Amino acid sequence: MTVTQVEDILDDHTGHARRVLEYSLVAKRLVDEAKQPGFTIDSWAPLAELVAVDEFERVGNFKEVMDWSGYVEFLANWAKSSEWECTFKRITETAGVVFLELEERSRIGDFSSVVNSVSVYEFDDAGHIRHIDVYLQMALPETGMLGSYDNVNISE
């Protein structure tokens, strides 16, 4: 199987699909930078440029719902102690919606995981991401990994 990096296929895409790939690349860069001194919630601004922050909503792996400020706070806490990378599988665009399939690898302390993900991105009329739904295939996580979600409202 050929491993494809997101940066290797970016120039093959336009429109909303390209914006989603850019979002993935910016997120990777910021997750890496989050461990550096001086990195703050304001450091997530490059990611905010790609989203409709006033109407943004993300529904995550455990059906938790976050607006932009809640999501950035979650990212800031998660990224400072996590490593994350991904490889590209497939992207599909249709009428204001993009489906992105990745293999994602992460490490938090001694816990590491490899998951297959599908993220569904919806766009506003200006071409900004306004909604993301995340779906994962993964092995059952150890309970310690769930500590990142202590202050997150998870749907039943």
Side-chain angles (χ1 to χ4, degrees), residues 54-126:
D54 293 334
E55 62 178 306
F56 181 84
E57 179 181 69
R58 177 187 179 269
V59 180
N61 346 353
F62 302 109
K63 296 181 6 181
E64 73 280 5
V65 178
M66 298 179 196
D67 62 9
W68 181 250
S69 64
Y71 184 49
V72 171
E73 185 176 325
F74 170 78
L75 284 173
N77 290 330
W78 172 78
K80 65 184 170 189
S81 61
S82 301
E83 297 174 29
W84 176 79
E85 63 183 7
C86 65
T87 48
F88 176 80
K89 290 181 143 188
R90 181 173 30 209
I91 194 164
T92 304
E93 181 174 350
T94 184
V97 177
V98 173
F99 300 84
L100 176 63
E101 297 177 58
L102 301 172
E103 178 184 281
E104 299 186 46
R105 295 167 299 284
S106 64
R107 176 177 298 280
I108 303 170
D110 292 335
F111 177 78
S112 64
S113 70
V114 178
V115 302
N116 296 324
S117 69
V118 174
S119 295
V120 182
Y121 295 78
E122 296 177 21
F123 289 81
D124 67 8
D125 292 339

